[in-house]
Amino acid sequence: MTMRKITVLSMITLDGVMQAPGGPKEDTSGGFKYGGWTAPYGDEAYDKVVQKELQQPADYLLGRKTFEIWATYWPEHGDFWPGINKGTKYVFSKKMKKTDPKITGWNNCVLVKNLADIKRIKKSKGADIQVWGSGELVQLLLKNDLVDELRLKIHPLTLGKGKKLFDKGPIPAAFTLKESIVTSTGVIIAHY
């Protein structure tokens, strides 16, 4: 039986911080003051990789916090990323309810409550699944051997504090490097 792949796409620092790469107000939890740290590192090669990732047909598995940020932005900005509004958004949350306005207000959203639900989705038919942001969810997926691919953009800086991609100790696992490039600004883009 063919299973859907789960791919984690993450922008990280050399010390593994993944928190608030896009902007200063994106995620200030824990007193994080460095939001928007990816801004100085964009270039043509970086943009080309991101555009290719956004064009892939996919469904999305998102943690509650990432979903709440996205649900206020992407429904109105789908011209930049058409797939995000077309694909199914599986929202992993124990706090949200099916009737939450963010779930009911954005098309194709499905609430997922536990690991068994994620395993069921992975075994179902459909597009491969992308996970963006969603630090706690990524940790859960890594701990339970549910990540098939990592697409990392490793930025040449350290922040010391913030939410980290491999913070909670994933299980021992080996990945194979499929392709990599180094941008003109020193970002290593690696597909494992």
Side-chain angles (χ1 to χ4, degrees), residues 68-144:
E68 286 178 343
I69 293 167
W70 285 24
T72 61
Y73 182 82
W74 285 114
E76 304 302 320
H77 297 88
D79 52 330
F80 180 76
W81 187 3
I84 193 62
N85 288 321
K86 292 177 187 168
T88 301
K89 277 75 66 188
Y90 296 101
V91 184
F92 185 77
S93 175
K94 295 178 180 164
K95 294 181 180 180
M96 294 180 88
K97 296 186 176 7
K98 288 182 183 180
T99 56
D100 188 293
K102 289 183 181 101
I103 295 278
T104 59
W106 193 11
N107 62 339
N108 305 323
C109 295
V110 176
L111 194 58
V112 177
K113 292 283 191 183
N114 55 47
L115 197 57
D117 290 341
I118 295 172
K119 289 177 180 178
R120 227 179 343 270
I121 293 164
K122 187 169 172 44
K123 290 179 184 176
S124 68
K125 289 184 179 181
D128 286 338
I129 300 162
Q130 293 183 354
V131 183
W132 294 77
S134 308
E136 291 178 32
L137 172 59
V138 170
Q139 312 256 334
L140 179 70
L141 296 172
L142 287 166
K143 185 177 178 181
N144 287 280

Side-chain angles (χ1 to χ4, degrees), residues 11 17-29 31-41 46 69-70 73-74 133 155 159 163:
M11 295 169 239
V17 174
M18 64 182 294
Q19 187 170 352
K25 296 180 181 171
E26 187 176 27
D27 179 1
T28 58
S29 62
F32 191 72
K33 300 175 188 170
Y34 307 113
W37 50 266
T38 61
Y41 298 100
Y46 193 108
I69 293 167
W70 285 24
Y73 182 82
W74 285 114
H155 295 71
L159 295 176
K163 296 175 184 173

